[in-house]
Amino acid sequence: MTQELVSLTIIMAVAAVSPIVAQLIPGKFIPQTVLLLAAGTALGPYGLGVIEVNDAVKLLNELGMAFLFLLAGYEIDPKRLAGHQGKVGLLTWGITLGLAWLVVTFLPFFTKQGINGVATVIALTTTALGTLMPILKERNLEGTPIGDAIISYGTWGELGPILAMAILLSTRTGWQTMLVLGAFLAICLLCAMLPTKALRTGHRLYRFLTENANTSSQTLMRLTTFLLIFLVTISALFELDAVLGAFAAGFILRYIIPDGSKSLEMKLEGVGYGFLIPVFFVVSGAAINVRAVASRPALLVAFIVMLMLIRAVPVYVALSLDKRKNPLSTHHRVTVALYCTTALPIIVAVTSLAVKVGTMQSDTASILVAAGAITVFLMPLLGSITYQVADVHPVTAVREIAHTPSDWRTIVREHAQVRALLHHQDRLKRMAETLESLEKQEGLNGLDSRRAELVERARLEIDRQLKELGLDPQLTTQLPHNYRYPKN
């Protein structure tokens, strides 16, 4: 027990220090998740060896993965799946799956590396939506057209591989697999329908649960945790991956509470991001064999490149062909595609399953996990760069400079001003929405009044900048994201 406590103490010390380090890094371009993975690799069995991945740590690791996918499933709006962008996202993922199968099956490189199986195909089609959500929140992309597109396409990039794992990696025959999945689906429907019925009928039990949600009983939190562990346990009994049960629990929770619950969300994020999810990322890093990765760098690089070609390109093409419904600029479409190529948790799950059934070597799995860990750092970084560059409209700027080279300083300043204006408008919109919701709930107190004053000052600043750009603030309430500064 002592060694288990020592390992857990070190893991939690890493979890506590990581956000501080991430904040101190200039530009904040390294997400906390990357630091957790790196620390796990350095301190784990293949590094300094001070973290021992024993049974107790493995259990917490599984619970961390479960909470990560619970929160990912909870973020999914069923209406989004059934909507236009959700359908396009599903079609895009299907094309991604087909491309991955063709590449892995017929490209000699993968055959020589011995990873031309179904597990590799699934790993190349994934989007780490659960990992991306805190990154999107940190970078203020949640609720923006960019963030909405990432969630729409990323939803199927996570849900699709989970279903593919259950169907394609099963050791049962086809009809047995369908039977087991049908039984699991029936249990999930039952878990969703009973609370929904109680909600609609106003049952006394439901009133008791809601009335005691924020007392020492913590009824809703306890029931949510029970739902998660119950479905993960059912997955284990049915010999399905725990990821499927955790994701289903989150999806069911969103179905039961379609409008969400801020109180419950804060508690789930507190337990998840405050304790269990950092354990999962540190232990995932500890599973990376640095020597194995260093011995086969070509596979590491090739896998990352294939992820970009197989996952990012179809997403970019889909956004380009669907411009009427998704009027994003070229750079913003690149941003969405790059973020959707972030992959780790599914790679950890699918490679672990492949190693367990003997279809993949542990060293190879370690390399694929390392590649997934790199994408958690690389793809959001590249996506952030393209997102910032997009609003500057560099192509238009270059054309204007080529037309009048002597005014290059003015042109660069004006394009930077446009980007700053767009940034102000995004922040103003979010602040105004927050204040509006507060006014509906409880009215403004002293702090909120100061925030309202800040919003008004921001509005005045935007009006001033609009006038400098030659636009009438009375006629132009919002500068469009595809705005191009007038040529000189």
Side-chain angles (χ1 to χ4, degrees):
M1 180 61 72
T2 302
Q3 183 57 48
E4 286 86 343
L5 289 173
V6 170
S7 295
L8 184 58
T9 300
I10 296 172
I11 291 172
M12 293 315 300
V14 170
V17 171
S18 292
I20 300 174
V21 175
Q23 184 73 19
L24 294 175
I25 296 174
K28 305 176 186 177
F29 64 94
I30 299 181
Q32 299 176 33
T33 303
V34 175
L35 299 177
L36 294 171
L37 290 165
T41 303
L43 302 176
Y46 300 106
L48 298 177
V50 295
I51 294 177
E52 180 181 320
V53 185
N54 43 53
D55 290 340
V57 173
K58 286 180 180 178
L59 177 59
L60 291 175
N61 174 57
E62 290 293 322
L63 289 174
M65 179 185 284
F67 258 86
L68 181 66
F69 281 97
L70 168 77
L71 292 171
Y74 180 75
E75 292 290 344
I76 296 175
D77 184 355
K79 295 179 181 178
R80 189 190 298 272
L81 287 178
H84 172 78
Q85 204 166 42
K87 294 175 182 177
V88 174
L90 173 59
L91 177 62
T92 304
W93 182 81
I95 293 171
T96 301
L97 183 65
L99 288 174
W101 179 81
L102 289 173
V103 169
V104 171
T105 304
F106 296 105
L107 196 67
F109 177 82
F110 285 96
T111 304
K112 291 178 181 178
Q113 298 291 334
I115 54 169
N116 56 340
V118 175
T120 308
V121 173
I122 295 173
L124 285 168
T125 67
T126 180
T127 296
L129 184 62
T131 305
L132 280 176
M133 290 310 302
I135 296 176
L136 296 180
K137 291 177 182 178
E138 288 174 12
R139 298 182 176 179
N140 296 319
L141 289 176
E142 192 177 30
T144 66
I146 303 293
D148 290 343
I150 292 171
I151 293 174
S152 294
Y153 285 87
T155 294
W156 284 110
E158 192 146 55
L159 180 57
I162 290 173
L163 296 175
M165 286 173 59
I167 297 171
L168 301 178
L169 293 180
S170 175
T171 56
R172 304 181 181 91
T173 60
W175 70 269
Q176 289 176 329
T177 300
M178 291 298 106
L179 184 63
V180 168
L181 288 175
F184 181 79
L185 177 60
I187 293 173
C188 290
L189 290 174
L190 186 64
C191 291
M193 296 306 296
L194 288 178
T196 305
K197 186 176 181 180
L199 173 63
R200 290 173 179 172
T201 58
H203 196 274
R204 284 184 297 176
L205 176 61
Y206 174 78
R207 292 198 299 272
F208 170 79
L209 294 176
T210 53
E211 289 170 359
N212 290 273
N214 295 314
T215 65
S216 60
S217 300
Q218 292 294 320
T219 49
L220 288 181
M221 183 63 185
R222 293 185 187 184
L223 280 176
T224 301
T225 307
F226 166 73
L227 174 67
L228 172 63
I229 296 177
F230 172 70
L231 289 180
V232 168
T233 303
I234 293 296
S235 299
L237 292 174
F238 285 179
E239 297 182 0
L240 300 169
D241 196 270
V243 168
L244 180 62
F247 200 83
F251 196 75
I252 290 170
L253 187 63
R254 171 59 71 180
Y255 176 78
I256 297 171
I257 316 174
D259 297 327
S261 170
K262 291 296 182 182
S263 175
L264 180 60
E265 290 166 17
M266 289 180 62
K267 294 168 188 174
L268 290 173
E269 290 179 355
V271 175
Y273 294 119
F275 176 34
L276 294 171
I277 293 176
V279 174
F280 165 70
F281 283 118
V282 173
V283 174
S284 296
I288 298 175
N289 186 339
V290 180
R291 293 180 181 177
V293 174
S295 66
R296 300 166 71 183
L299 177 58
L300 179 73
V301 175
F303 191 79
I304 295 174
V305 171
M306 285 298 105
L307 271 171
M308 295 182 70
L309 293 176
I310 291 172
R311 183 66 183 141
V313 173
V315 171
Y316 176 82
V317 172
L319 286 167
S320 300
L321 295 176
D322 195 33
K323 288 179 67 175
R324 181 172 297 179
K325 294 289 184 178
N326 301 287
L328 299 176
S329 66
T330 300
H331 290 79
H332 286 164
R333 295 198 294 273
V334 172
T335 299
V336 173
L338 288 170
Y339 270 98
C340 287
T341 314
T342 305
L344 179 67
I346 292 291
I347 293 180
V348 173
V350 73
T351 53
S352 299
L353 186 58
V355 170
K356 188 182 299 183
V357 299
T359 58
M360 183 180 291
Q361 295 180 352
S362 58
D363 286 354
T364 303
S366 186
I367 295 171
L368 300 191
V369 171
I374 290 173
T375 64
V376 175
F377 162 71
L378 183 61
M379 301 308 168
L381 174 63
L382 295 177
S384 178
I385 292 173
T386 57
Y387 180 72
Q388 294 179 32
V389 168
D391 289 334
V392 181
H393 305 302
V395 176
T396 306
V398 169
R399 290 174 181 172
E400 292 173 6
I401 292 172
H403 185 261
T404 53
S406 59
D407 293 338
W408 69 270
R409 289 187 180 86
T410 303
I411 294 170
V412 170
R413 186 183 70 252
E414 289 170 345
H415 279 261
Q417 187 180 24
V418 170
R419 180 187 175 278
L421 179 56
L422 287 170
H423 181 67
H424 283 313
Q425 287 180 321
D426 287 339
R427 294 186 62 187
L428 173 62
K429 181 180 178 182
R430 286 192 293 271
M431 292 169 65
E433 289 175 350
T434 301
L435 288 171
E436 184 179 354
S437 63
L438 289 171
E439 287 175 349
K440 291 180 179 179
Q441 292 174 5
E442 300 176 357
L444 293 175
N445 54 31
L447 176 62
D448 296 326
S449 297
R450 288 192 292 272
R451 291 179 65 189
E453 182 182 352
L454 181 61
V455 171
E456 183 59 31
R457 289 172 60 187
R459 287 193 179 117
L460 293 174
E461 173 65 15
I462 286 181
D463 286 350
R464 184 187 67 78
Q465 293 191 35
L466 284 170
K467 290 178 181 178
E468 288 185 2
L469 291 170
L471 301 172
D472 185 354
Q474 301 298 324
L475 301 177
T476 308
T477 58
Q478 182 176 351
L479 192 65
H481 280 265
N482 60 352
Y483 175 79
R484 297 292 188 272
Y485 195 84
K487 293 184 179 180
N488 295 323

